[in-house]
Amino acid sequence: MTDDPTGRVDRRTVLRTVAGVGGAALAGCPGTAPQSDGPTVQVTDGGGTGTQSPDSDPYLDLVRTYAPTLYFDTDERWFPTDPRPYTSERDGETIVDGFDALDGYHAESEPGEPPAPTAFYNVVEYEDSPLVGLQYWLYSAFDQFTTNFHWHDWEVLHVFVDTDTGEPQLYVASSHSRKVPNNEFLDPEPEQVPRVLSELGSHSSALSVNDVPDQFQRLPTDGGLADITNSALEGIEDVASIPVAYGLPRDEGSRLPYVVPELDGEPLYEHDRLPNVDRAALVPPALTVRSFTDLSEPPGDLPRRENGLAFAHSGRDVSADIDYDLVPTTEIEHITDFTGPQLSFEFSVPEAVEDAIAGHITTTGAPWGQPRYQNPAADITEPNHRQALAQRYDAIGAPAPGTVVFGKVAETVASPDAPENSGVRTEPTSYEAVALLESEPEAVPTFGGTAVVRDVPAGEHRLTVNAAGTAPHSERITVEESGGPTVAGVDGQIPLVANADATKVTVDPSQADSELTGLALLDDFAGRLYDAPLTGPDAVYVHSGGAYTTEVRDTDDAVGAFRVNPAVDATSVAIENPKTGKASLARFLAAIASETEADIAAAADIESGDLDTDDAVDAVDEVVSGNGDVTGQANAIRGLTQALASVASAAGKAADRAAAGDRAGADNQLRGVSNALEQVGERLSVARSALPDEIGNAADRRLDAATRRAEQARQQSKL
């Protein structure tokens, strides 16, 4: 292969592909672990020797050409600045202390006049290649966000340029951490200066390359371009056509609450080392919460993003509010560390006894200690983009199979098709969440409700998802050695429940008579909501308005099922003796049949609680005024309840026979259950129109579930 830029892919063709059905995705290769890239040379300011003036830098004109325009949120508090005024000496080394930087920045800051607006640049050559990486590093004194907060913040924009043609090849804008897919654009127009939209507080960088400079567009609309060329994820239908990049969630309609940073249990602005920092120095109260767990439901009135100050390089004729200076990073490479006491964000983790708190801590260090500083291509997170550069330049390695964990957060609410407290549904969420793997020190935020964690080591992990005002979700996942995607939740969906509606269901495998390996929860209307490995005591939060089947499996693939009705039971429900086999399934059949019989009886005979023929006629006459043969329908309801009672009786006897070791007797009773369920189906079809729609809907779904479980019980070898 030769370094021939004529292999350029037309960017509009790429965009059309990305905007389609995700065909541009590399199947099975969602990660970007590269083959080895070629050697690089840092050439900023004469290779970092400090012997040349910045104006003698051979790449200075190119650096100025692509110096980005920066757009900030109207509520932004920490703009890119120069950290050198806040340096101090420690053990013979130059450092920047977090207290000094934060307090000093606010001491100098005036509304509309941020101190020392600066962008630092670094230029990296790839040996024996016309490709260079221009890096624009932006330092902020503090980072306040929903998933983390830390002293100091460094964000970077990489601009890959072919020096033979002078044309840009790829823009890569950093998004939070290496675990989050960056915002990237392949083959931008040469005359288009890159624009960066900075996320409030966190400074995560979104790109803007289309005709609307101060808004982020994930997909092309009305003939315009999207702001990224990242490809779509395979495996989740809901996001099959959505480019996977962090983007700018608050600019895309999502609600994103921020958290007030604390140190030693007190708000940071109350610390005695920060006399110039008050509450107004942080993200405004309208956007913040003190704790995710203290809210009864997700906040619904968070303001949308609004544009504030725009920054541009002082040497460019661009309309902007603030001019910033370009300074080579070699002038600050003497700073060895950016320090400060550890700040943590607490994650709630569901536990069988009491929810645990897992503290996660994020810190930031000097850019020149990071691999991407020496090799900008290390920050390419989109496999198609790395592949495109690898085809053009020998210096860039092709993408190798990587790993990614992903899931789509959903909101669990009561179903309008179900009786009260008897069914739920899931729907897309309008708020963002945060996900944490217990093996990782840093959480990742969702974008559009999608959680993506890149480059996860193979093995067993625990994934926990938190969102403001919701109960925590946690599950065990297995990342395979072979790479490729690992889908969390059920078919990629992770349902969350508002704290006010949450009921905890707990299971302790030590109470079983076999080794349990799996736990699932199914709602009558929403279907399977949780399905994960079971390695010890576990807890799952469900919506109190649902009616659930809790399912366990063991090492012999035997199954147990248990009925859970949170509206009837306590706010915390423990599955006692979670055993598998015929007896367990038969008891479940008895429970669901009795529950359905009681619901139908209550709906048909509201006054008396009895269901003799005369009362049934009167009740149905009220429900179905003059509709057909009311007496026939009443008899059908009566027959329906009798058939359900027969199911419950036979199932109870089957459970007793199985528990006594009588396989033949248990199977004989289970055949009776199946016969009675057929009668239930026949009588339900006749009585259906006389029942309230919600009761009929529930009866239909429970009949289907009971029929499947009866067959499952007959097939079980374990009693």
Side-chain angles (χ1 to χ4, degrees):
M1 187 195 309
T2 59
D3 286 326
D4 182 4
T6 60
R8 169 186 296 269
V9 179
D10 178 76
R11 69 176 185 142
R12 296 181 184 272
T13 301
V14 172
L15 284 169
R16 285 195 295 270
T17 305
V18 170
V21 294
L26 293 179
C29 297
T32 56
Q35 298 176 5
S36 59
D37 296 322
T40 61
V41 178
Q42 182 188 2
V43 294
T44 305
D45 189 19
T49 63
T51 59
Q52 293 177 275
S53 69
D55 287 337
S56 67
D57 190 325
Y59 286 102
L60 186 58
D61 286 343
L62 203 60
V63 168
R64 289 171 173 166
T65 297
Y66 289 102
T69 303
L70 312 172
Y71 293 87
F72 292 91
D73 193 289
T74 187
D75 291 317
E76 181 56 58
R77 298 300 192 254
W78 306 285
F79 297 97
T81 190
D82 189 337
R84 287 176 291 183
Y86 316 121
T87 57
S88 58
E89 297 299 314
R90 183 188 67 182
D91 299 329
E93 296 183 334
T94 302
I95 66 166
V96 179
D97 178 81
F99 286 108
D100 294 343
L102 181 58
D103 195 67
Y105 181 86
H106 282 287
E108 301 173 20
S109 183
E110 297 290 341
E113 299 180 11
T118 308
F120 296 91
Y121 70 89
N122 182 43
V123 182
V124 177
E125 285 182 346
Y126 287 87
E127 287 188 2
D128 302 320
S129 174
L131 186 68
V132 299
L134 312 178
Q135 296 181 324
Y136 301 88
W137 290 91
L138 307 173
Y139 170 80
S140 301
F142 196 75
D143 179 306
Q144 179 185 356
F145 191 50
T146 187
T147 61
N148 58 11
F149 22 78
H150 48 79
W151 313 96
H152 321 289
D153 190 31
W154 282 103
E155 301 294 337
V156 62
L157 170 70
H158 307 277
V159 177
F160 294 86
V161 180
D162 187 293
T163 55
D164 286 348
T165 65
E167 293 187 349
Q169 305 296 300
L170 178 68
Y171 295 159
V172 176
S174 60
S175 300
H176 290 285
S177 75
R178 284 284 297 159
K179 297 296 181 181
V180 179
N182 287 328
N183 298 300
E184 303 179 13
F185 196 98
L186 183 68
D187 295 330
E189 296 290 356
E191 67 275 8
Q192 176 64 67
V193 173
R195 298 185 295 254
V196 169
L197 306 177
S198 180
E199 184 174 49
L200 172 64
S202 81
H203 315 116
S204 173
S205 301
L207 289 169
S208 173
V209 299
N210 61 22
D211 296 332
V212 184
D214 55 4
Q215 293 182 0
F216 176 76
Q217 190 68 46
R218 188 176 294 271
L219 294 170
T221 57
D222 300 327
L225 295 173
D227 287 321
I228 52 175
T229 54
N230 298 60
S231 59
L233 272 178
E234 297 180 350
I236 303 180
E237 182 178 352
D238 289 346
V239 295
S241 61
I242 305 299
V244 178
Y246 180 68
L248 195 61
R250 289 185 62 236
D251 208 33
E252 302 179 73
S254 294
R255 289 177 286 164
L256 191 65
Y258 286 63
V259 177
V260 176
E262 295 185 355
L263 180 61
D264 299 328
E266 299 295 334
L268 192 61
Y269 53 81
E270 294 183 358
H271 202 282
D272 57 9
R273 288 191 60 188
L274 298 171
N276 293 294
V277 177
D278 56 15
R279 179 62 186 85
L282 303 181
V283 172
L287 283 161
T288 57
V289 297
R290 287 295 298 271
S291 169
F292 276 15
T293 58
D294 289 346
L295 300 177
S296 61
E297 60 184 8
D301 56 352
L302 296 172
R304 292 282 300 272
R305 177 181 179 272
E306 294 183 19
N307 289 306
L309 296 178
F311 285 47
H313 170 43
S314 55
R316 177 179 291 122
D317 185 18
V318 175
S319 176
D321 303 296
I322 304 293
D323 291 337
Y324 68 78
D325 293 331
L326 274 173
V327 177
T329 55
T330 50
E331 293 194 15
I332 56 173
E333 285 183 355
H334 65 285
I335 301 174
T336 59
D337 202 3
F338 293 80
T339 68
Q342 292 178 331
L343 302 172
S344 64
F345 176 79
E346 292 184 340
F347 255 71
S348 295
V349 181
E351 298 286 358
V353 179
E354 182 176 355
D355 288 355
I357 298 295
H360 100 274
I361 297 170
T362 58
T363 58
T364 187
W368 29 98
Q370 303 174 19
R372 60 182 176 172
Y373 186 75
Q374 284 77 30
N375 177 19
D379 228 12
I380 301 174
T381 60
E382 167 57 48
N384 285 340
H385 295 163
R386 175 171 278 278
Q387 182 65 42
L389 293 192
Q391 291 174 346
R392 301 172 193 178
Y393 306 101
D394 289 336
I396 302 300
T403 58
V404 64
V405 174
F406 64 84
K408 181 79 170 179
V409 174
E411 188 172 358
T412 309
V413 298
S415 171
D417 298 326
E420 185 178 6
N421 297 323
S422 295
V424 299
R425 69 176 181 182
T426 59
E427 56 187 31
T429 177
S430 59
Y431 54 80
E432 300 295 351
V434 288
L436 177 69
L437 289 174
E438 65 180 10
S439 56
E440 301 292 334
E442 187 169 358
V444 301
T446 63
F447 48 91
T450 302
V452 176
V453 188
R454 301 177 56 257
D455 299 333
V456 180
E460 303 293 327
H461 300 269
R462 185 172 187 176
L463 175 69
T464 299
V465 177
N466 280 196
T470 70
H473 169 96
S474 190
E475 64 179 275
R476 296 284 178 182
I477 60 173
T478 301
V479 177
E480 300 295 340
E481 196 73 56
S482 57
T486 298
V487 181
V490 176
D491 296 329
Q493 186 181 80
I494 301 173
L496 299 181
V497 184
N499 284 327
D501 299 320
T503 295
K504 184 194 292 187
V505 178
T506 63
V507 175
D508 185 353
S510 67
Q511 298 177 357
D513 59 354
S514 59
E515 184 180 350
L516 300 184
T517 58
L519 170 65
L521 278 95
L522 304 84
D523 175 74
D524 290 351
F525 284 75
R528 196 169 292 262
L529 296 172
Y530 183 89
D531 195 343
L534 184 63
T535 59
D538 204 356
V540 181
Y541 279 99
V542 297
H543 193 289
S544 59
Y548 303 95
T549 299
T550 301
E551 178 186 281
V552 295
R553 289 183 178 271
D554 64 21
T555 52
D556 295 324
D557 209 28
V559 178
F562 309 87
R563 194 65 175 161
V564 175
N565 298 94
V568 176
D569 299 322
T571 55
S572 180
V573 180
I575 304 300
E576 304 288 348
N577 301 315
K579 298 179 180 180
T580 57
K582 289 183 187 291
S584 171
L585 292 170
R587 290 191 182 94
F588 166 82
L589 290 167
I592 198 171
S594 296
E595 177 186 340
T596 308
E597 177 193 4
D599 288 348
I600 291 174
D605 186 9
I606 300 172
E607 295 295 331
S608 70
D610 288 333
L611 197 68
D612 59 34
T613 303
D614 292 337
D615 289 335
V617 170
D618 292 340
V620 173
D621 192 35
E622 294 180 13
V623 177
V624 189
S625 49
N627 181 20
D629 183 2
V630 175
T631 302
Q633 290 175 329
N635 287 332
I637 291 176
R638 182 171 182 272
L640 175 58
T641 59
Q642 290 174 340
L644 286 165
S646 296
V647 171
S649 176
K653 292 176 181 177
D656 292 339
R657 298 288 191 275
D662 181 1
R663 181 180 301 277
D667 287 342
N668 183 55
Q669 291 296 333
L670 287 170
R671 283 190 290 271
V673 169
S674 295
N675 292 335
L677 286 171
E678 290 181 4
Q679 292 182 359
V680 170
E682 294 170 358
R683 295 175 184 181
L684 178 58
S685 64
V686 176
R688 188 70 165 76
S689 61
L691 294 170
D693 286 343
E694 295 83 359
I695 295 295
N697 294 338
D700 286 339
R701 286 163 172 76
R702 293 174 191 170
L703 175 60
D704 289 343
T707 301
R708 292 194 303 272
R709 295 295 179 183
E711 176 63 25
Q712 193 175 49
R714 290 199 304 272
Q715 298 299 324
Q716 293 286 295
S717 59
K718 181 185 176 185
L719 291 173

